[in-house]
Amino acid sequence: MTHRPLIAVPARFAATTSALRHAAEVNARALVEAVWRAGGEPVTLHPHAPGGTADPAEVAARLARFDGLLLPGGGDIAPHRYGAADAHEAVYDVDDEQDAFDLELARQALAHGTPLLAVCRGLQVVNTALGGTLHQDMGGPGREHRHVRHPVSIAPGSALAEATGVDKAEASCYHHQHVDRLGEGLTVTARAADGTVEAVELTDGGPVLAVQWHPEDTAHEDPVQQSLFDALVRAARATL
């Protein structure tokens, strides 16, 4: 049997979960199943960043055991992480330990060329780790991208276009924030019709795909969305 590349997926903190008597650390089943379908072995990582500070050496050592990294969706990043003085009233589910761990994971993956797929919050983490900023809230109904599927246009010649094989994709979105100032070394590779940044990747061609939508929502029935997970596992396998 072919060895499955190990794909690290940082857990999300959950206050309650069915059938467990304690707060939990979770990942969406649809997300890990998409990694499994691609041929990867999804492994949940415990986010350890006491007091909202992650030890770079510790995170680097933990990440070194894996062949790839998937940064999943989740709550909002604390605005102070990208230099904002105040938080918009719509900012929700901020967790300092989660932020610190995810941001350090992203920095280490970027520094060491670890294959990386970033989803929704994950894209925002990558952008923030590279010095970018976020629009804290896109506005109410008709402007925010929550519970909607809409087409996104993909830049020709991009790694995203190569992975998906298309120039337009139907994206399942659930976000009320998006990229404001682009992080250093990033290029926009997909946008929604209203101009919202929907995907970024490294300008230098590093093994990073970051999308603002949730490909796991439809990956089980849409080969275009599954192709993002396939590309991550393929890149991870190339490192073995």
Side-chain angles (χ1 to χ4, degrees), residues 17-139:
T17 53
S18 176
L20 297 180
R21 296 177 299 108
H22 301 277
E25 296 181 4
V26 301
N27 269 309
R29 182 171 177 176
L31 194 76
V32 297
E33 286 185 343
V35 173
W36 183 265
R37 278 195 303 271
E41 180 74 63
V43 181
T44 296
L45 275 186
H46 167 61
H48 182 248
T53 302
D55 180 346
E58 178 187 82
V59 174
R62 293 179 68 190
L63 183 60
R65 301 171 60 192
F66 296 92
D67 308 305
L69 171 64
L70 197 164
L71 288 173
D76 293 338
I77 301 169
H80 73 82
R81 297 282 182 180
Y82 46 87
D86 300 301
H88 190 281
E89 63 182 9
V91 170
Y92 74 102
D93 280 358
V94 170
D95 188 291
D96 241 13
E97 188 166 16
Q98 190 88 73
D99 285 353
F101 187 70
D102 282 6
L103 285 163
E104 192 56 42
L105 266 181
R107 294 185 189 105
Q108 294 299 329
L110 292 164
H112 293 96
T114 304
L116 168 61
L117 172 62
V119 169
C120 198
R121 168 191 161 94
L123 178 150
Q124 296 169 7
V125 167
V126 169
N127 193 61
T128 300
L130 290 172
T133 62
L134 304 176
H135 284 291
Q136 292 189 41
D137 188 65
M138 297 170 66

